[in-house]
Amino acid sequence: MPAAPDALPPLAGLTPASLDWQADETGSASPHSREFGDVYFSRHDGRAETRHVFLDANQLPRRLAAWRLDRPFVIGETGFGTGLNMLCAWACFDEHAPPEARLHLISTELYPLTRDDLSRALAAWPDLAERAACLLAQWPAAVSGVHRLWLDARVTLDLHFGDATERLRHLDGRVDAWFLDGFAPARNPGMWQASLFEAMAARSRPGATLATFTCAGVVKRGLAAAGFRWRKVSGFGRKRDMLVGEIAEPPADRRRRSTPWFLPSSPGPRRHISVIGSGLAGASAAAALARRGVQVTLIDREAPGAGASGNTQGLLYVKLAAETNDQSRCYLAGLLHSRRWLESLDPHHRLWQPSGVLQLASSPREQARQARFADNHPLPSDVVERIDAVAASQLAGVPLNHGGLHYPLGGWVRPQALCRRLAETPGVTFRRAHVQSLQASSTSWRLALTTDKGTEHLETDQVVIATASLANRFTQTERLPLQPVRGQVSALPLPDHMPAPHMAICGGGYVAPPHNGELTFGATFQPNQNDDTLCEADHQANLAELARLLPGYPERLEAAGVSLDPATMRGRAAVRAASPDKTPYAGPVPDATRWREDYARLAKDATRVPDTPGQYHQGLWISAAHGSRGLASAPLCAEVIASRICDEPMPLEATLINHLHPGRRLIRDLIQGK
Ligand code: SAM
């Protein structure tokens, strides 16, 4: 494989900002950075400064009022700080933009404020209180990476935690207006580097504007060298000058040269999109598209959540590799994303429970692996923490022989109920039908459906395939390697007063906290098996796993009168799908025949990358291979697909978008001469 265009830094927690609170001119306390010895906003009037320096200088009131494109207006910022600029940009959008317009905010931050400090800083602006509350409710853990927040139906905020230059280099998205903020260049020279301006230029839309409070020479020189034209205008308050500027023709994105096959094609029509498969992958994709104003037909041969997403309980959990890799990055991002997504979809926890998950360290090998993981991943304890058997037993509410990795943000979900809820999203129409085939015309897709009434056809602008192990059944997807994996869960009635774990516990399998008087545990993992009928041997295997996770527990159940006879046990079997590298597929469907021709020479020399951009089945997308961790991957993959279709910034770094790309195995196989 050619070298990765831009390797990501190790997954890590970030150092929170360290603040002093100093009296401003009105007498209230305003934040001051100890690290940089500078203020977050003017002590004279922070709001007026934001309006003058960032909103008006980028001409946002006028531009937002005139916004008619069917993609969002994108603002990019270096240095999120207290979020004042972004909340003001949101308010400005609400005041000026037409009702159908959307706004996408991107902001980088290397030293995120703690939630308490953020709350204290934003309390200075009572009229922003509602917006601040929305930000605070979703404020992410201080972990490097992209965190997508939904500020309201029309406004999205992507927080890119990490160094501004590094984050913008990894940004897959383009910006219409820049807020070049950060502490004064003299106090923060590390940020105001030529490489920052280059990264901004490369992520700009043609005509993108910028504004910044400073006129420092290093900024003027750097902006000019990167291709921005700047001019001085009058500054705010006591500052005489500030800079505004724009870029007419942004430079070509250099990353594209190393992986031309991943080059996204231009967005197509998207008034009506069909999503095939209404499990978690399809239902979340349908909801993500509908949220963006797309009319969605969600098609399934059964009901929403009838397939592998049909269990009464499913775990929101991840298993991360001891050494950071892109798959772990995707899954951790997915866990954090799903947690925020569930919280905003169902704040009253009717469809899910934030129970936390324990990855049990029950063997010396797993203990050593977890120790390596913890050494390699300095992550905050509100994301993952190593705990001993005593702490684990306390958290679980049942005695455990081992500790492990505790993920407080994990939990369990009622997947079928969740799929039903997603299928009811306004803008989504559910249709019960079997899709026989897909046929492309020049601008649309024609689906041949078998329904109760016979054969019908459906015309639609684009199609998302989300049919798990059947996803490569269409001629367009038949080259996509997918493996069916049978899994069976078992359930036992739980006698009243019998203690059971409050938290989900995972080892080889898992046991979930009780639900509706039942204890669910499992699941078997049987690659290349397609059979979804219940089998006694699998119940036996699940009972053995339960005994490993909770030693002595099956015996106590039996002593309390519960029959452990596999012949009478309840459960459910379903077929999931996995890719050969166990990463989901999320993205456009490549034209495999063309790829084999266009990139044939990679087989001889993988370093000689042809210029040819990847050819796709235009308007055909896939979200599949979520295996048994779909709750952590499918909602984020839905955002990946919906964001690309709707020409928006992506919710993950470019490298991770490529990692999820459905064409990755084709390239790998070509390079390996397969
Ligand atoms: N825009 C902010 C607001 O509305 O509150 C104020 C920004 S404050 C003046 C500067 C911010 O830049 C701080 O939050 C600081 O942590 C952040 N920062 C400093 N160096 C950075 C870097 N290299 N990458 C990303 N953020 C950085």
Side-chain angles (χ1 to χ4, degrees):
M1 204 64 166
D6 262 324
L8 286 160
L11 258 182
L14 299 182
T15 312
S18 161
L19 305 184
D20 284 323
W21 295 88
Q22 301 185 346
D24 66 13
E25 290 181 6
T26 66
S28 50
S30 76
H32 177 269
S33 161
R34 281 195 199 131
E35 181 112 23
F36 294 97
D38 203 354
V39 291
Y40 278 74
F41 42 74
S42 159
R43 289 214 200 100
H44 170 54
D45 184 345
R47 290 289 290 280
E49 178 187 44
T50 292
R51 198 175 317 118
H52 179 84
V53 176
F54 297 107
L55 308 187
D56 290 348
N58 273 300
Q59 301 178 46
L60 292 189
R62 178 186 65 73
R63 290 167 78 191
L64 291 171
W67 192 252
R68 294 291 179 277
L69 299 185
D70 66 350
R71 66 166 180 86
F73 186 91
V74 182
I75 298 176
E77 178 182 51
T78 55
F80 183 76
T82 67
L84 176 63
N85 287 345
M86 287 311 205
L87 295 190
C88 290
W90 176 14
C92 174
F93 171 82
D94 279 352
E95 188 180 344
H96 297 282
E100 61 286 356
R102 287 182 300 126
L103 177 67
H104 199 111
L105 304 168
I106 292 171
S107 191
T108 67
E109 178 54 63
L110 183 55
Y111 304 96
L113 267 63
T114 62
R115 187 184 273 115
D116 286 349
D117 281 341
L118 190 65
S119 169
R120 186 169 173 192
L122 291 172
W125 326 110
D127 62 318
L128 290 177
E130 240 175 76
R131 296 178 208 274
C134 173
L135 173 67
L136 285 161
Q138 300 179 66
W139 188 239
V143 174
S144 57
V146 188
H147 307 270
R148 174 159 288 184
L149 279 54
W150 296 273
L151 298 184
D152 74 14
R154 301 190 301 155
V155 184
T156 304
L157 167 65
D158 286 343
L159 288 166
H160 291 239
F161 278 175
D163 170 67
T165 303
E166 172 245 304
R167 290 285 99 200
L168 293 181
R169 279 193 181 140
H170 289 289
L171 169 65
D172 187 336
R174 288 186 299 156
V175 168
D176 295 292
W178 291 101
F179 296 177
L180 186 44
D181 205 355
F183 297 117
R187 295 176 190 266
N188 185 16
M191 190 189 95
W192 302 87
Q193 297 282 327
S195 50
L196 171 68
F197 309 118
E198 283 160 19
M200 285 170 56
R203 310 289 171 265
S204 291
R205 294 263 181 191
T209 59
L210 81 94
T212 181
F213 62 92
T214 173
C215 279
V218 64
V219 179
K220 291 189 283 194
R221 286 190 298 278
L223 286 171
F228 286 97
R229 279 194 312 259
W230 57 260
R231 60 190 182 282
K232 277 189 193 174
V233 294
S234 56
F236 176 75
R238 291 180 207 121
K239 287 200 183 117
R240 208 169 47 152
D241 304 313
M242 58 168 274
L243 294 179
V244 295
E246 64 275 311
I247 190 160
E249 270 182 53
D253 191 341
R254 280 184 304 127
R255 282 181 308 203
R256 303 300 185 207
R257 259 188 260 143
S258 50
T259 50
W261 38 85
F262 294 143
L263 199 68
S265 18
S266 25
R270 49 179 183 271
R271 267 181 305 278
H272 176 208
I273 295 182
S274 294
V275 178
I276 312 173
S278 66
L280 209 56
S284 57
L289 288 163
R291 187 179 174 274
R292 289 159 168 86
V294 176
Q295 278 301 318
V296 181
T297 303
L298 177 61
I299 307 168
D300 199 293
R301 54 183 182 175
E302 293 177 60
S309 304
N311 291 347
T312 41
Q313 274 179 300
L315 287 202
L316 170 60
Y317 82 110
V318 293
K319 198 169 174 192
L320 305 178
E323 274 79 36
T324 300
N325 58 28
D326 285 345
Q327 186 181 65
S328 291
R329 289 190 171 95
C330 285
Y331 273 111
L332 182 60
L335 170 69
L336 301 176
H337 176 92
S338 288
R339 179 61 195 247
R340 273 192 303 279
W341 180 76
L342 286 166
E343 205 63 81
S344 74
L345 190 74
D346 177 34
H348 302 298
H349 303 175
R350 294 194 177 98
L351 301 170
W352 67 290
Q353 286 296 321
S355 62
V357 171
L358 179 72
Q359 184 79 52
L360 207 60
S362 47
S363 66
R365 194 156 164 244
E366 180 60 11
Q367 281 155 18
R369 199 193 71 81
Q370 293 192 3
R372 268 198 344 271
F373 170 82
D375 286 348
N376 291 334
H377 295 85
L379 290 164
S381 59
D382 53 354
V383 172
V384 57
E385 187 180 25
R386 257 185 107 198
I387 56 174
D388 62 16
V390 176
S393 305
Q394 241 161 24
L395 279 171
V398 291
L400 297 171
N401 290 353
H402 302 281
L405 291 176
H406 176 223
Y407 289 88
L409 297 174
W412 64 269
V413 175
R414 296 166 54 210
Q416 194 166 36
L418 176 61
C419 291
R420 276 197 220 114
R421 162 74 86 81
L422 293 168
E424 286 163 7
T425 306
V428 176
T429 307
F430 180 78
R431 264 195 90 169
R432 192 155 167 246
H434 184 83
V435 182
Q436 297 292 355
S437 66
L438 301 170
Q439 212 188 345
S441 75
S442 58
T443 56
S444 66
W445 285 88
R446 192 172 154 86
L447 283 64
L449 309 178
T450 311
T451 67
D452 297 343
K453 297 183 198 122
T455 302
E456 292 176 33
H457 289 97
L458 178 69
E459 293 280 342
T460 166
D461 293 323
Q462 307 199 33
V463 180
V464 182
I465 299 172
T467 44
S469 63
L470 303 176
N472 60 358
R473 227 205 61 209
F474 298 100
T475 48
Q476 295 85 350
T477 51
E478 65 191 7
R479 290 269 179 77
L480 210 66
L482 265 180
Q483 187 183 41
V485 183
R486 176 192 146 84
Q488 179 170 315
V489 291
S490 307
L492 288 171
L494 199 64
D496 287 347
H497 312 302
M498 173 101 183
H502 306 322
M503 149 172 95
I505 297 169
C506 302
Y510 71 85
V511 51
H515 172 53
N516 283 346
E518 278 196 331
L519 190 73
T520 297
F521 51 98
T524 57
F525 190 89
Q526 295 148 299
N528 297 320
Q529 290 197 34
N530 264 318
D531 182 4
D532 64 0
T533 49
L534 275 179
C535 98
E536 288 182 26
D538 287 9
H539 281 320
Q540 287 285 20
N542 286 339
L543 277 170
E545 180 60 21
L546 179 64
R548 275 190 292 273
L549 295 168
L550 299 178
Y553 200 79
E555 290 80 354
R556 267 184 279 152
L557 280 171
E558 209 164 23
V562 177
S563 160
L564 304 187
D565 180 1
T568 56
M569 253 165 88
R570 283 168 32 84
R572 189 169 187 278
V575 181
R576 302 161 294 196
S579 66
D581 56 17
K582 306 292 180 280
T583 288
Y585 296 122
V589 176
D591 182 337
T593 312
R594 290 289 304 274
W595 281 39
R596 294 187 85 83
E597 290 162 14
D598 292 345
Y599 305 124
R601 82 172 186 223
L602 293 174
K604 296 206 183 81
D605 181 353
T607 61
R608 289 186 57 215
V609 175
D611 294 335
T612 326
Q615 298 299 307
Y616 289 90
H617 294 287
Q618 277 301 328
L620 187 61
W621 307 81
I622 189 164
S623 175
H626 295 284
S628 51
R629 286 173 289 175
L631 281 158
S633 59
L636 182 55
C637 288
E639 278 297 303
V640 165
I641 291 172
S643 302
R644 189 65 95 205
I645 290 178
C646 296
D647 198 14
E648 296 171 10
M650 299 299 272
L652 277 174
E653 296 87 339
T655 309
L656 301 187
I657 296 295
N658 292 351
H659 182 70
L660 294 169
H661 198 287
R664 64 183 186 268
R665 299 295 299 189
L666 291 177
I667 295 296
R668 187 178 175 278
D669 287 354
L670 279 169
I671 290 173
Q672 295 185 345
K674 287 191 190 159

